[in-house]
PDB file of all heavy atoms in Angstrom:
ATOM      1  N   GLU A   1     -16.359  27.195  29.737  1.00  0.00           N
ATOM      2  CA  GLU A   1     -16.829  25.819  29.658  1.00  0.00           C
ATOM      3  C   GLU A   1     -15.667  24.921  29.253  1.00  0.00           C
ATOM      4  O   GLU A   1     -14.761  25.344  28.534  1.00  0.00           O
ATOM      5  CB  GLU A   1     -17.965  25.679  28.636  1.00  0.00           C
ATOM      6  CG  GLU A   1     -19.233  26.405  29.021  1.00  0.00           C
ATOM      7  CD  GLU A   1     -20.333  26.186  27.991  1.00  0.00           C
ATOM      8  OE1 GLU A   1     -20.055  25.500  26.985  1.00  0.00           O
ATOM      9  OE2 GLU A   1     -21.436  26.697  28.203  1.00  0.00           O
ATOM     10  N   LEU A   2     -15.679  23.680  29.703  1.00  0.00           N
ATOM     11  CA  LEU A   2     -14.636  22.721  29.356  1.00  0.00           C
ATOM     12  C   LEU A   2     -14.651  22.476  27.856  1.00  0.00           C
ATOM     13  O   LEU A   2     -15.694  22.144  27.295  1.00  0.00           O
ATOM     14  CB  LEU A   2     -14.862  21.400  30.089  1.00  0.00           C
ATOM     15  CG  LEU A   2     -13.813  20.309  29.856  1.00  0.00           C
ATOM     16  CD1 LEU A   2     -12.485  20.713  30.482  1.00  0.00           C
ATOM     17  CD2 LEU A   2     -14.289  18.974  30.427  1.00  0.00           C
ATOM     18  N   PRO A   3     -13.494  22.661  27.169  1.00  0.00           N
ATOM     19  CA  PRO A   3     -13.474  22.413  25.711  1.00  0.00           C
ATOM     20  C   PRO A   3     -13.809  20.970  25.403  1.00  0.00           C
ATOM     21  O   PRO A   3     -13.453  20.059  26.152  1.00  0.00           O
ATOM     22  CB  PRO A   3     -12.029  22.749  25.313  1.00  0.00           C
ATOM     23  CG  PRO A   3     -11.502  23.593  26.426  1.00  0.00           C
ATOM     24  CD  PRO A   3     -12.208  23.143  27.668  1.00  0.00           C
ATOM     25  N   SER A   4     -14.482  20.781  24.301  1.00  0.00           N
ATOM     26  CA  SER A   4     -14.824  19.427  23.890  1.00  0.00           C
ATOM     27  C   SER A   4     -13.573  18.709  23.406  1.00  0.00           C
ATOM     28  O   SER A   4     -12.627  19.343  22.929  1.00  0.00           O
ATOM     29  CB  SER A   4     -15.863  19.461  22.763  1.00  0.00           C
ATOM     30  OG  SER A   4     -15.315  20.093  21.614  1.00  0.00           O
ATOM     31  N   PRO A   5     -13.488  17.375  23.533  1.00  0.00           N
ATOM     32  CA  PRO A   5     -12.298  16.625  23.072  1.00  0.00           C
ATOM     33  C   PRO A   5     -11.991  16.861  21.614  1.00  0.00           C
ATOM     34  O   PRO A   5     -10.840  16.859  21.210  1.00  0.00           O
ATOM     35  CB  PRO A   5     -12.688  15.166  23.334  1.00  0.00           C
ATOM     36  CG  PRO A   5     -13.722  15.233  24.411  1.00  0.00           C
ATOM     37  CD  PRO A   5     -14.471  16.511  24.182  1.00  0.00           C
ATOM     38  N   GLU A   6     -13.003  17.092  20.776  1.00  0.00           N
ATOM     39  CA  GLU A   6     -12.772  17.297  19.353  1.00  0.00           C
ATOM     40  C   GLU A   6     -11.934  18.547  19.096  1.00  0.00           C
ATOM     41  O   GLU A   6     -11.106  18.588  18.203  1.00  0.00           O
ATOM     42  CB  GLU A   6     -14.089  17.403  18.601  1.00  0.00           C
ATOM     43  CG  GLU A   6     -14.874  16.115  18.510  1.00  0.00           C
ATOM     44  CD  GLU A   6     -15.574  15.773  19.804  1.00  0.00           C
ATOM     45  OE1 GLU A   6     -15.690  16.683  20.653  1.00  0.00           O
ATOM     46  OE2 GLU A   6     -15.995  14.612  19.981  1.00  0.00           O
ATOM     47  N   SER A   7     -12.107  19.586  19.914  1.00  0.00           N
ATOM     48  CA  SER A   7     -11.377  20.830  19.683  1.00  0.00           C
ATOM     49  C   SER A   7      -9.927  20.729  20.142  1.00  0.00           C
ATOM     50  O   SER A   7      -9.098  21.536  19.756  1.00  0.00           O
ATOM     51  CB  SER A   7     -12.066  21.984  20.416  1.00  0.00           C
ATOM     52  OG  SER A   7     -12.020  21.778  21.818  1.00  0.00           O
ATOM     53  N   GLN A   8      -9.599  19.728  21.001  1.00  0.00           N
ATOM     54  CA  GLN A   8      -8.235  19.571  21.488  1.00  0.00           C
ATOM     55  C   GLN A   8      -7.422  18.581  20.666  1.00  0.00           C
ATOM     56  O   GLN A   8      -6.210  18.650  20.627  1.00  0.00           O
ATOM     57  CB  GLN A   8      -8.260  19.083  22.942  1.00  0.00           C
ATOM     58  CG  GLN A   8      -8.772  20.122  23.929  1.00  0.00           C
ATOM     59  CD  GLN A   8      -8.770  19.565  25.333  1.00  0.00           C
ATOM     60  OE1 GLN A   8      -9.078  18.400  25.533  1.00  0.00           O
ATOM     61  NE2 GLN A   8      -8.426  20.387  26.301  1.00  0.00           N
ATOM     62  N   ALA A   9      -8.094  17.643  20.037  1.00  0.00           N
ATOM     63  CA  ALA A   9      -7.394  16.562  19.356  1.00  0.00           C
ATOM     64  C   ALA A   9      -6.655  17.056  18.120  1.00  0.00           C
ATOM     65  O   ALA A   9      -7.158  17.892  17.371  1.00  0.00           O
ATOM     66  CB  ALA A   9      -8.384  15.466  18.961  1.00  0.00           C
ATOM     67  N   VAL A  10      -5.422  16.542  17.944  1.00  0.00           N
ATOM     68  CA  VAL A  10      -4.632  16.820  16.748  1.00  0.00           C
ATOM     69  C   VAL A  10      -4.378  15.482  16.059  1.00  0.00           C
ATOM     70  O   VAL A  10      -3.796  14.568  16.646  1.00  0.00           O
ATOM     71  CB  VAL A  10      -3.298  17.498  17.096  1.00  0.00           C
ATOM     72  CG1 VAL A  10      -2.471  17.694  15.831  1.00  0.00           C
ATOM     73  CG2 VAL A  10      -3.547  18.828  17.786  1.00  0.00           C
ATOM     74  N   GLU A  11      -4.815  15.349  14.848  1.00  0.00           N
ATOM     75  CA  GLU A  11      -4.691  14.087  14.142  1.00  0.00           C
ATOM     76  C   GLU A  11      -3.236  13.829  13.757  1.00  0.00           C
ATOM     77  O   GLU A  11      -2.605  14.653  13.100  1.00  0.00           O
ATOM     78  CB  GLU A  11      -5.563  14.092  12.894  1.00  0.00           C
ATOM     79  CG  GLU A  11      -5.573  12.754  12.175  1.00  0.00           C
ATOM     80  CD  GLU A  11      -6.509  12.753  10.981  1.00  0.00           C
ATOM     81  OE1 GLU A  11      -7.206  13.763  10.781  1.00  0.00           O
ATOM     82  OE2 GLU A  11      -6.532  11.745  10.257  1.00  0.00           O
ATOM     83  N   LEU A  12      -2.691  12.699  14.201  1.00  0.00           N
ATOM     84  CA  LEU A  12      -1.323  12.316  13.871  1.00  0.00           C
ATOM     85  C   LEU A  12      -1.288  11.642  12.503  1.00  0.00           C
ATOM     86  O   LEU A  12      -2.260  11.014  12.087  1.00  0.00           O
ATOM     87  CB  LEU A  12      -0.772  11.362  14.928  1.00  0.00           C
ATOM     88  CG  LEU A  12      -0.598  11.934  16.333  1.00  0.00           C
ATOM     89  CD1 LEU A  12      -0.136  10.844  17.292  1.00  0.00           C
ATOM     90  CD2 LEU A  12       0.403  13.078  16.339  1.00  0.00           C
ATOM     91  N   PRO A  13      -0.160  11.768  11.799  1.00  0.00           N
ATOM     92  CA  PRO A  13      -0.061  11.109  10.492  1.00  0.00           C
ATOM     93  C   PRO A  13      -0.110   9.603  10.661  1.00  0.00           C
ATOM     94  O   PRO A  13       0.304   9.055  11.687  1.00  0.00           O
ATOM     95  CB  PRO A  13       1.295  11.580   9.961  1.00  0.00           C
ATOM     96  CG  PRO A  13       2.065  11.964  11.182  1.00  0.00           C
ATOM     97  CD  PRO A  13       1.062  12.508  12.154  1.00  0.00           C
ATOM     98  N   SER A  14      -0.597   8.932   9.660  1.00  0.00           N
ATOM     99  CA  SER A  14      -0.720   7.479   9.709  1.00  0.00           C
ATOM    100  C   SER A  14       0.596   6.821   9.326  1.00  0.00           C
ATOM    101  O   SER A  14       1.108   7.022   8.223  1.00  0.00           O
ATOM    102  CB  SER A  14      -1.835   7.015   8.767  1.00  0.00           C
ATOM    103  OG  SER A  14      -1.811   5.607   8.640  1.00  0.00           O
ATOM    104  N   ILE A  15       1.158   6.048  10.244  1.00  0.00           N
ATOM    105  CA  ILE A  15       2.371   5.294   9.955  1.00  0.00           C
ATOM    106  C   ILE A  15       2.102   4.295   8.830  1.00  0.00           C
ATOM    107  O   ILE A  15       2.934   4.063   7.954  1.00  0.00           O
ATOM    108  CB  ILE A  15       2.874   4.561  11.211  1.00  0.00           C
ATOM    109  CG1 ILE A  15       3.177   5.560  12.342  1.00  0.00           C
ATOM    110  CG2 ILE A  15       4.101   3.725  10.893  1.00  0.00           C
ATOM    111  CD1 ILE A  15       4.299   6.502  12.062  1.00  0.00           C
ATOM    112  N   ALA A  16       0.907   3.707   8.851  1.00  0.00           N
ATOM    113  CA  ALA A  16       0.556   2.718   7.829  1.00  0.00           C
ATOM    114  C   ALA A  16       0.573   3.332   6.432  1.00  0.00           C
ATOM    115  O   ALA A  16       1.014   2.679   5.466  1.00  0.00           O
ATOM    116  CB  ALA A  16      -0.821   2.123   8.126  1.00  0.00           C
ATOM    117  N   ASP A  17       0.116   4.568   6.305  1.00  0.00           N
ATOM    118  CA  ASP A  17       0.129   5.234   4.995  1.00  0.00           C
ATOM    119  C   ASP A  17       1.560   5.464   4.516  1.00  0.00           C
ATOM    120  O   ASP A  17       1.862   5.312   3.323  1.00  0.00           O
ATOM    121  CB  ASP A  17      -0.620   6.566   5.067  1.00  0.00           C
ATOM    122  CG  ASP A  17      -2.121   6.380   5.228  1.00  0.00           C
ATOM    123  OD1 ASP A  17      -2.614   5.268   4.973  1.00  0.00           O
ATOM    124  OD2 ASP A  17      -2.801   7.358   5.617  1.00  0.00           O
ATOM    125  N   VAL A  18       2.441   5.841   5.457  1.00  0.00           N
ATOM    126  CA  VAL A  18       3.844   6.067   5.102  1.00  0.00           C
ATOM    127  C   VAL A  18       4.492   4.764   4.636  1.00  0.00           C
ATOM    128  O   VAL A  18       5.181   4.722   3.617  1.00  0.00           O
ATOM    129  CB  VAL A  18       4.617   6.658   6.302  1.00  0.00           C
ATOM    130  CG1 VAL A  18       6.113   6.751   5.981  1.00  0.00           C
ATOM    131  CG2 VAL A  18       4.072   8.020   6.674  1.00  0.00           C
ATOM    132  N   VAL A  19       4.258   3.683   5.377  1.00  0.00           N
ATOM    133  CA  VAL A  19       4.836   2.393   5.017  1.00  0.00           C
ATOM    134  C   VAL A  19       4.314   1.928   3.659  1.00  0.00           C
ATOM    135  O   VAL A  19       5.076   1.432   2.816  1.00  0.00           O
ATOM    136  CB  VAL A  19       4.529   1.340   6.101  1.00  0.00           C
ATOM    137  CG1 VAL A  19       5.000  -0.046   5.661  1.00  0.00           C
ATOM    138  CG2 VAL A  19       5.196   1.731   7.423  1.00  0.00           C
ATOM    139  N   ALA A  20       3.000   2.108   3.431  1.00  0.00           N
ATOM    140  CA  ALA A  20       2.413   1.679   2.151  1.00  0.00           C
ATOM    141  C   ALA A  20       3.026   2.449   0.987  1.00  0.00           C
ATOM    142  O   ALA A  20       3.184   1.906  -0.115  1.00  0.00           O
ATOM    143  CB  ALA A  20       0.903   1.886   2.187  1.00  0.00           C
ATOM    144  N   LEU A  21       3.395   3.718   1.229  1.00  0.00           N
ATOM    145  CA  LEU A  21       3.982   4.546   0.173  1.00  0.00           C
ATOM    146  C   LEU A  21       5.415   4.123  -0.138  1.00  0.00           C
ATOM    147  O   LEU A  21       5.827   4.088  -1.309  1.00  0.00           O
ATOM    148  CB  LEU A  21       3.947   6.015   0.601  1.00  0.00           C
ATOM    149  CG  LEU A  21       4.565   7.036  -0.359  1.00  0.00           C
ATOM    150  CD1 LEU A  21       3.801   7.069  -1.677  1.00  0.00           C
ATOM    151  CD2 LEU A  21       4.595   8.422   0.286  1.00  0.00           C
ATOM    152  N   VAL A  22       6.197   3.786   0.899  1.00  0.00           N
ATOM    153  CA  VAL A  22       7.633   3.546   0.721  1.00  0.00           C
ATOM    154  C   VAL A  22       7.968   2.080   0.491  1.00  0.00           C
ATOM    155  O   VAL A  22       8.919   1.762  -0.226  1.00  0.00           O
ATOM    156  CB  VAL A  22       8.409   4.079   1.955  1.00  0.00           C
ATOM    157  CG1 VAL A  22       9.912   3.841   1.792  1.00  0.00           C
ATOM    158  CG2 VAL A  22       8.123   5.549   2.172  1.00  0.00           C
ATOM    159  N   LYS A  23       7.209   1.182   1.058  1.00  0.00           N
ATOM    160  CA  LYS A  23       7.538  -0.242   1.038  1.00  0.00           C
ATOM    161  C   LYS A  23       7.813  -0.797  -0.363  1.00  0.00           C
ATOM    162  O   LYS A  23       8.730  -1.615  -0.533  1.00  0.00           O
ATOM    163  CB  LYS A  23       6.428  -1.037   1.720  1.00  0.00           C
ATOM    164  CG  LYS A  23       6.767  -2.499   1.987  1.00  0.00           C
ATOM    165  CD  LYS A  23       5.708  -3.108   2.911  1.00  0.00           C
ATOM    166  CE  LYS A  23       5.970  -4.599   3.136  1.00  0.00           C
ATOM    167  NZ  LYS A  23       5.553  -5.402   1.980  1.00  0.00           N
ATOM    168  N   PRO A  24       7.087  -0.394  -1.416  1.00  0.00           N
ATOM    169  CA  PRO A  24       7.405  -0.928  -2.754  1.00  0.00           C
ATOM    170  C   PRO A  24       8.807  -0.583  -3.248  1.00  0.00           C
ATOM    171  O   PRO A  24       9.301  -1.216  -4.182  1.00  0.00           O
ATOM    172  CB  PRO A  24       6.332  -0.290  -3.645  1.00  0.00           C
ATOM    173  CG  PRO A  24       5.204   0.017  -2.726  1.00  0.00           C
ATOM    174  CD  PRO A  24       5.851   0.410  -1.433  1.00  0.00           C
ATOM    175  N   SER A  25       9.451   0.422  -2.614  1.00  0.00           N
ATOM    176  CA  SER A  25      10.795   0.827  -3.033  1.00  0.00           C
ATOM    177  C   SER A  25      11.890   0.138  -2.229  1.00  0.00           C
ATOM    178  O   SER A  25      13.075   0.274  -2.556  1.00  0.00           O
ATOM    179  CB  SER A  25      10.958   2.352  -2.882  1.00  0.00           C
ATOM    180  OG  SER A  25       9.963   3.037  -3.587  1.00  0.00           O
ATOM    181  N   VAL A  26      11.523  -0.587  -1.181  1.00  0.00           N
ATOM    182  CA  VAL A  26      12.502  -1.210  -0.288  1.00  0.00           C
ATOM    183  C   VAL A  26      12.769  -2.638  -0.740  1.00  0.00           C
ATOM    184  O   VAL A  26      11.842  -3.368  -1.098  1.00  0.00           O
ATOM    185  CB  VAL A  26      12.011  -1.179   1.166  1.00  0.00           C
ATOM    186  CG1 VAL A  26      13.079  -1.756   2.104  1.00  0.00           C
ATOM    187  CG2 VAL A  26      11.664   0.244   1.587  1.00  0.00           C
ATOM    188  N   VAL A  27      14.042  -3.036  -0.714  1.00  0.00           N
ATOM    189  CA  VAL A  27      14.423  -4.376  -1.172  1.00  0.00           C
ATOM    190  C   VAL A  27      15.183  -5.116  -0.086  1.00  0.00           C
ATOM    191  O   VAL A  27      15.773  -4.505   0.814  1.00  0.00           O
ATOM    192  CB  VAL A  27      15.291  -4.308  -2.446  1.00  0.00           C
ATOM    193  CG1 VAL A  27      14.583  -3.537  -3.549  1.00  0.00           C
ATOM    194  CG2 VAL A  27      16.657  -3.674  -2.143  1.00  0.00           C
ATOM    195  N   SER A  28      15.133  -6.442  -0.181  1.00  0.00           N
ATOM    196  CA  SER A  28      15.963  -7.306   0.660  1.00  0.00           C
ATOM    197  C   SER A  28      17.205  -7.709  -0.120  1.00  0.00           C
ATOM    198  O   SER A  28      17.118  -8.024  -1.309  1.00  0.00           O
ATOM    199  CB  SER A  28      15.184  -8.561   1.075  1.00  0.00           C
ATOM    200  OG  SER A  28      14.030  -8.224   1.804  1.00  0.00           O
ATOM    201  N   ILE A  29      18.345  -7.683   0.542  1.00  0.00           N
ATOM    202  CA  ILE A  29      19.611  -8.036  -0.099  1.00  0.00           C
ATOM    203  C   ILE A  29      20.207  -9.231   0.629  1.00  0.00           C
ATOM    204  O   ILE A  29      20.358  -9.217   1.855  1.00  0.00           O
ATOM    205  CB  ILE A  29      20.595  -6.854  -0.085  1.00  0.00           C
ATOM    206  CG1 ILE A  29      20.023  -5.690  -0.893  1.00  0.00           C
ATOM    207  CG2 ILE A  29      21.959  -7.271  -0.626  1.00  0.00           C
ATOM    208  CD1 ILE A  29      20.875  -4.441  -0.863  1.00  0.00           C
ATOM    209  N   ASN A  30      20.543 -10.270  -0.122  1.00  0.00           N
ATOM    210  CA  ASN A  30      21.171 -11.466   0.441  1.00  0.00           C
ATOM    211  C   ASN A  30      22.517 -11.685  -0.235  1.00  0.00           C
ATOM    212  O   ASN A  30      22.644 -11.516  -1.464  1.00  0.00           O
ATOM    213  CB  ASN A  30      20.276 -12.687   0.256  1.00  0.00           C
ATOM    214  CG  ASN A  30      19.003 -12.588   1.078  1.00  0.00           C
ATOM    215  OD1 ASN A  30      19.011 -12.807   2.277  1.00  0.00           O
ATOM    216  ND2 ASN A  30      17.899 -12.247   0.426  1.00  0.00           N
ATOM    217  N   THR A  31      23.501 -12.028   0.560  1.00  0.00           N
ATOM    218  CA  THR A  31      24.864 -12.171   0.036  1.00  0.00           C
ATOM    219  C   THR A  31      25.453 -13.517   0.441  1.00  0.00           C
ATOM    220  O   THR A  31      25.018 -14.149   1.404  1.00  0.00           O
ATOM    221  CB  THR A  31      25.780 -11.055   0.577  1.00  0.00           C
ATOM    222  OG1 THR A  31      25.855 -11.159   2.010  1.00  0.00           O
ATOM    223  CG2 THR A  31      25.244  -9.691   0.198  1.00  0.00           C
TER     224      THR A  31
END
């Protein structure tokens, strides 16, 4: 039988979660 889409799908990591984790550590530098 044709596999259901749920059994084939692989959840990718959330870019938004990564940005939310790192963004407080990133700074802007002006010279």
Side-chain angles (χ1 to χ4, degrees):
E1 294 182 358
L2 182 68
S4 63
E6 290 76 16
S7 64
Q8 291 180 322
V10 177
E11 185 177 355
L12 295 176
S14 170
I15 301 295
D17 290 343
V18 174
V19 174
L21 178 64
V22 180
K23 191 169 177 283
S25 305
V26 183
V27 304
S28 300
I29 297 176
N30 293 283
T31 62

